[in-house]
Amino acid sequence: MSSSTPAAVPPGTPGAVPASSARGLTKTYGSGAAAVRALDGVDVDFAAGAFTAIMGPSGSGKSTLMHLLAGLDLATSGSVRLGETELTALDDDALTHLRRDRIGFVFQSFNLLPMFTAEQNITLPLELAGTRVDREWLDLLTVTLGLTGRLTHRPSELSGGQQQRVAIARALVTRPDVVFADEPTGNLDSRSGAEVLSFLRRSVRELGRTVIMVTHDPTAAAYADRVVLLADGRIAGDIAEPTPESVLAGLEALRTLEAPIADGVNA
Ligand SMILES: Nc1ncnc2c1ncn2[C@@H]1O[C@H](COP(=O)(O)OP(=O)(O)O)[C@@H](O)[C@H]1O
Ligand SMILES: [Mg+2]
């Protein structure tokens, strides 16, 4: 999967190994009366070479699911795979290596090092892994993410949108199997947010990467190829080729589904 060219297998091809998947995934925080079941038997596949958004109400388990898929936290039960690798079978060291070598992260706060230039921030993961910089790949990332002419700038000399694009380039520089993004536009105005989302989509369409993004914004989710809906720690919907309207309708359906149960009446 680690290639600079688009995936040979179109996203969602039957029989293809998903880039990331979960089976019977359950996560409980705390114990006894204080126990919170954040995920409750989640089965989900994320196709390689696709851009998927995870949505759902606050507290529905989005961040927990992303953390488990990315090997940042351990499941209570069930299984998590990255490609063919079963994460629940790995020890701490192996998980650390897997995160470093095969996963990219983009956070709401850009997490750039202020004293480093954009280029030094982008190549930092290679530096840390002791891997040579592939100049051709770096150039392709720079062009695709619209960072030409910005590489010698420090974060303070860049706009928020440009800083987040540097963070995306940093997440992609190791050619990870999957990039996980948690609310990547949460700190951006709507125009820079739209820019960042279209660059994320380009990195999937043009560079063949796989992106899984958590967001609460239907407009942001509509940039994805697919939206997976979570409610109460369970998969509650799946929207192909989402539009802001279809995503809003999907979220609205979750509310009306929950209301009669909560009220004990049929609305
Ligand atoms: N570290 C934690 N300790 C206890 N409860 C937690 C912890 N993290 C999340 N939760 C609970 O798990 C549920 C799901 O949380 P989370 O995955 O953060 O949801 P989302 O990202 O959709 O808002 C919520 O009820 C939340 O309060
Ligand atoms: Mg969250």
Side-chain angles (χ1 to χ4, degrees):
M1 286 298 130
S2 294
S3 94
S4 59
T5 48
V9 183
T13 301
V17 176
S20 169
S21 64
R23 286 294 175 273
L25 190 61
T26 298
K27 176 71 178 178
T28 307
Y29 293 108
S31 58
V36 175
R37 182 163 285 202
L39 292 179
D40 189 10
V42 168
D43 294 327
V44 67
D45 288 336
F46 298 93
F51 183 10
T52 310
I54 301 175
M55 294 199 82
S58 177
S60 57
K62 303 183 294 295
S63 295
T64 301
L65 176 59
M66 205 192 91
H67 289 159
L68 295 184
L69 293 173
L72 288 167
D73 200 359
L74 298 176
T76 304
S77 64
S79 109
V80 179
R81 282 174 181 247
L82 183 74
E84 310 208 48
T85 310
E86 174 62 57
L87 266 56
T88 40
L90 302 180
D91 62 19
D92 273 359
D93 269 3
L95 270 180
T96 303
H97 280 105
L98 175 133
R99 283 197 302 267
R100 194 192 69 191
D101 299 337
R102 297 181 54 193
I103 294 178
F105 293 98
V106 178
F107 302 97
Q108 183 170 341
S109 50
F110 320 128
N111 294 350
L112 301 178
L113 296 177
M115 61 295 212
F116 282 12
T117 64
E119 176 165 339
Q120 288 168 332
N121 270 285
I122 294 169
T123 56
L124 189 64
L126 300 174
E127 208 71 49
L128 294 175
T131 313
R132 214 176 49 82
V133 174
D134 175 346
R135 203 71 228 179
E136 224 176 292
W137 178 236
L138 182 62
D139 289 348
L140 187 56
L141 285 177
T142 304
V143 171
T144 309
L145 289 165
L147 291 167
T148 309
R150 296 281 182 275
L151 289 181
T152 58
H153 292 53
R154 287 174 211 283
S156 61
E157 299 163 335
L158 298 172
S159 71
Q162 288 167 342
Q163 290 183 59
Q164 191 62 307
R165 285 187 264 141
V166 170
I168 293 169
R170 179 184 55 188
L172 291 169
V173 79
T174 58
R175 292 188 168 92
D177 295 346
V178 180
V179 171
F180 290 98
D182 198 354
E183 299 279 2
T185 57
N187 277 337
L188 299 175
D189 59 62
S190 59
R191 189 159 142 219
S192 330
E195 261 174 32
V196 160
L197 289 160
S198 49
F199 283 114
L200 267 180
R201 188 164 61 187
R202 285 184 72 181
S203 64
V204 172
R205 298 272 159 82
E206 296 171 27
L207 306 178
R209 311 322 301 180
T210 302
V211 176
I212 302 175
M213 168 179 80
V214 168
T215 181
H216 67 270
D217 176 3
T219 310
Y223 281 80
D225 300 312
R226 173 192 176 207
V227 173
V228 171
L229 294 174
L230 268 184
D232 285 334
R234 296 187 190 152
I235 300 294
D238 207 317
I239 305 168
E241 308 298 332
T243 62
E245 295 72 29
S246 68
V247 173
L248 268 176
L251 291 170
E252 197 52 43
L254 289 185
R255 273 185 219 109
T256 47
L257 263 183
E258 282 170 3
I261 298 162
D263 298 337
V265 287
N266 285 316

